[in-house]
Amino acid sequence: MTDDEPLRYRLITGVDDATFCERVSSLLDQGYRLQGPPAVTYNGTNVIAAQALVWGPY
């Protein structure tokens, strides 16, 4: 794998807000696809989300 090749697997985490959604949407626009449902938890202040994405054909 070279530096310009996309990673085959990405796990995006962060506060569940518009910025998190924009990050996931950007990766979808680049050709990644969702791998399973998101996971969410609450840290006492914010909802924290995690979404796995994979690169490659369906």
Side-chain angles (χ1 to χ4, degrees):
M1 183 163 128
T2 64
D3 289 339
D4 58 342
E5 291 181 42
L7 297 171
R8 290 179 43 203
Y9 174 85
R10 301 279 306 263
L11 179 65
I12 305 303
T13 62
V15 174
D16 187 16
D17 60 8
T19 300
F20 177 83
C21 294
E22 289 168 2
R23 290 172 59 204
V24 172
S25 294
S26 175
L27 289 167
L28 293 172
D29 289 343
Q30 293 173 39
Y32 282 89
R33 58 187 169 87
L34 300 177
Q35 179 63 41
V40 294
T41 190
Y42 183 68
N43 70 0
T45 305
N46 298 301
V47 173
I48 306 299
Q51 177 63 61
L53 298 106
V54 294
W55 182 265
Y58 285 91

